[in-house]
């Protein structure tokens, strides 16, 4: 199995786990709390599930291989936007506080490396 294939499965797994287990199944309530604090408590359960569904969709898109570069750019933009908002608005709810941004930057870099350096 190539490094490119392993990274593809890794990225899909990250989106699937965060979407399905953390948000749709609400196994990590901190995700709902983040959504509630940023978008409002009233609709946080529904919005969290919808965000989780979108993350599952991202995993499927990654595995499909359709528009790979567009997908990579979209992932990078979404991860950056999400992490900037969380860094500024809810650092106390993040697993590693503001240091989560370091993990996000690494993930973004790995996505960019896979799609723009490894891919043909």
């Amino acid at each position: 199995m190539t490094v490119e294939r392993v990274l593809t499965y890794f990225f899909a797994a990250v989106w699937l786990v965060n979407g399905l287990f953390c948000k749709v199944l609400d196994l990590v309530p901190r995700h709902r709390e983040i959504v509630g604090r940023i978008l409002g408590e009233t609709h946080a359960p529904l919005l969290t599930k919808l965000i989780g569904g979108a993350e599952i969709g991202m995993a499927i898109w990654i595995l499909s291989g359709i528009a790979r570069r567009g997908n990579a750019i979209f992932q990078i933009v979404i991860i950056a936007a999400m992490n900037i908002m969380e860094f500024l608005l809810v650092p106390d709810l993040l697993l590693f506080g503001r240091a989560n941004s370091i993990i996000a930057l690494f993930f973004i870099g790995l996505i960019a490396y896979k799609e723009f350096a490894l891919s043909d």
Side-chain angles (χ1 to χ4, degrees):
M1 186 176 294
T2 66
V3 171
E4 193 172 355
R5 172 83 61 203
V6 169
L7 288 174
T8 297
Y9 291 140
F10 171 69
F11 298 144
V14 169
W15 287 101
L16 180 65
V17 166
N18 276 287
L20 179 60
F21 296 105
C22 297
K23 293 181 181 78
V24 172
L25 298 176
D26 198 27
L27 297 178
V28 183
R30 180 175 40 80
H31 288 263
R32 183 179 18 82
E33 292 171 20
I34 291 168
V35 171
R37 188 100 59 88
I38 293 172
L39 299 175
E41 295 294 334
T42 305
H43 302 293
L46 174 61
L47 292 173
T48 304
K49 288 185 185 338
L50 290 173
I51 292 167
E55 290 179 348
I56 293 166
M58 180 68 80
I60 294 167
W61 184 12
I62 292 167
L63 293 173
S64 78
I66 297 170
R68 288 184 357 222
R69 291 206 168 164
N71 176 275
I73 292 166
F74 191 66
Q75 285 184 76
I76 290 167
V77 169
I78 292 296
I79 293 164
M82 175 181 60
N83 278 275
I84 289 167
M85 280 191 301
E86 292 171 346
F87 183 92
L88 295 173
L89 301 173
V90 291
D92 57 303
L93 292 178
L94 300 176
L95 188 58
F96 302 110
R98 287 197 164 102
N100 264 36
S101 59
I102 296 166
I103 297 164
L105 283 174
F106 174 76
F107 195 62
I108 285 170
L110 204 54
I111 292 167
Y113 172 73
K114 184 256 181 199
E115 194 51 50
F116 300 103
L118 280 182
S119 293
D120 43 1

